[in-house]
Structures are given as C-alpha cells and as structure tokens.
Amino acid sequence: MRKKIVAGNWKMNTTVKEGVELVKAIAQQLNRIPEDVQLVVAPPLTHLSSVNQTLIESGCSSQIALGAQNCANKEKGAYTGEVSANMLATLGDGTNRGVEYVIIGHSERRGYYGETNEILLEKVRLALAAGLKVIYCVGEELSQREAGVHFDFIAEQIKEVLFPLSQDELKNIIVAYEPIWAIGTGVTATSAQAQEIHAFIRKTIAEKYGDISEQIPILYGGSCKPSNAAELFAQKDIDGGLIGGASLKADDFIGIASSF
Ligand code: PEP
C-alpha cells in the first residue's frame, strides 16, 4: 500500500503571521481527512520555525509534516542567500521532526532560475544525505505535449535525476507530475491524461528499480481543487497531490485531502 500524500506548496505567499494562522486552521480541520493521509505544508523559508512550533503545539506534527520549497545544490560555504539541505533537516531540536520534506525541481525553479537536471541531481543527493524526503517534480510544457514529445521529456527528467540514485535512496523519493500548462492556470489535466503519465513514470522507474517503483508515491499537481481531486485520486497510479493555489485556503486544502 503506497503512502497517500497531499502537499501544499505555498510558494512566495503569506506573512509569517498569516502562515501560522493558516496552519492552525488546517490543524483544526484534520478530523475531516482519513488518518492514513499524510499532509505536508511547505511554507516560505522565513516561516519554517514558527510553523514548526505551531505544529508541535497543535499536537498535529505527525499527520502534518513540514516541507521546504527548495534547497541549495552545495553542501555549505560562500553561497550568499542559499540554504542547505542540512540546515533544513536540523531545524528541529531533536524532540520534534522539523523539516522532513523538500520540493526539488518545481517548474518555476527550472524555468525562472535555470535549474537543470544536473543541478537538481546535486540537490536531490544532498537532501537525501541530510535525511530529507524529496518531492521531485517533473512535467511538460503544452508545446511539448502538442508535439508529442512529452513522454520522452518526462523520461529524461526521471532518468537524469533519479537513475543515479541507489535503491535505498529511491525509497525516500516522491515524484510529482505537474504539467506546466496546468499550474496556476485553472486548467487541470483530465484524470485519464494524468493517470497515463503517472503509469508511464512508474513504468520508467521500474525499468531500473523493478518492484520498488510500486512503493513510490506519485502525486499530481496543476490546478487541483476540491471539485476535481476525488476523480484524480481515484486513479490507480495517483497517490495524492502537490497543491499550489488551493493550499493557501485551509478549507480547500483539507477539502482536497478528504477526497480519497
Ligand atoms: C504548483 O505550483 O505546484 C501547483 C500545483 O500550483 P497550482 O495548484 O496553483 O496549479
């Protein structure tokens, strides 16, 4: 049985105070979601300590895990403005879980900040070495889908970043399929389109890792909302969602997570 995960990518939104209020509102509605659904909230870096503390105080830090949206591709040193995977992983004080997940390879990082598969592999390796679980994002542009090259493009994103990993490392990978044309646009992939790619991703991973691919959660991301989540999550290879806009409203985020 694969883990069901609904992760909220807050991107560069909310003040610290608003973020704390948001996570409190999510915690208050946890009774609406099945116990086997793992929630992850990934606020901006400035919010991590306060949100972590709020999760501990609310007693929800096991069902709501903390995630970061990015980490550096360097271990430490003179990299102004960067935050290392190890810094994220050691945010907790030993009595709580601190940061547990990190999103790597989001299309906004690839597109706006020029993050190549090579850089992403460096990030993934450091994140795993620091003990973080990685939500690794892949997904095609609309023009690639229209040209029929989307399968090849996604296979390359998987092979170049995940295939260098060991079997043990792979067990801490969650893949998120996020078609770029569906992110923040209000246009969702149909459940059939999403399932087709999720099955393809699983098959691609199986080529190298065999049955382990059956254990890897694959999340869908791209204009997922309470009204379409149930149909998406009912697909055989869709194990949850990576949610952008709708993760900024507690009702919507919980509504999506209650759609399993
Ligand atoms: C995202 O950016 O990861 C995302 C899925 O955004 P949205 O849900 O807003 O489309």
Side-chain angles (χ1 to χ4, degrees), residues 86 144 149 189:
N86 196 48
Q144 292 171 312
V149 297

Side-chain angles (χ1 to χ4, degrees), residues 9 11 106 108 178 182-184 221-223 242-245:
N9 173 11
K11 307 192 183 183
H106 192 281
E108 288 154 15
E178 300 207 304
I183 294 180
S223 299
L242 177 55
I243 317 300

Side-chain angles (χ1 to χ4, degrees), residues 112-231:
Y112 300 145
Y113 302 99
E115 296 190 357
T116 60
N117 286 340
E118 197 183 351
I119 292 172
L120 297 174
L121 172 59
E122 292 170 349
K123 292 187 178 207
V124 168
R125 283 203 151 121
L126 288 167
L128 293 172
L132 297 171
K133 296 183 182 73
V134 171
I135 302 177
Y136 174 60
C137 305
V138 299
E140 80 285 359
E141 306 257 13
L142 186 57
S143 58
Q144 292 171 312
R145 178 169 278 267
E146 284 170 351
V149 297
H150 51 305
F151 288 104
D152 287 347
F153 181 72
I154 291 166
E156 189 175 284
Q157 291 181 319
I158 295 287
K159 288 180 182 172
E160 290 188 1
V161 179
L162 300 187
F163 279 20
L165 305 178
S166 70
Q167 293 200 351
D168 273 351
E169 286 177 315
L170 193 82
K171 290 179 185 158
N172 284 317
I173 296 285
I174 295 108
V175 178
Y177 168 56
E178 300 207 304
I180 297 170
W181 46 272
I183 294 180
T185 58
V187 179
T188 317
T190 64
S191 53
Q193 283 173 324
Q195 166 58 26
E196 182 182 39
I197 300 290
H198 281 232
F200 172 75
I201 291 170
R202 203 176 300 290
K203 184 172 116 310
T204 305
I205 295 173
E207 278 170 25
K208 172 151 167 107
Y209 298 96
D211 287 350
I212 297 175
S213 72
E214 290 299 322
Q215 298 168 35
I216 306 295
I218 306 180
L219 315 182
Y220 168 77
S223 299
C224 188
K225 33 190 185 259
S227 58
N228 58 28
E231 196 185 328

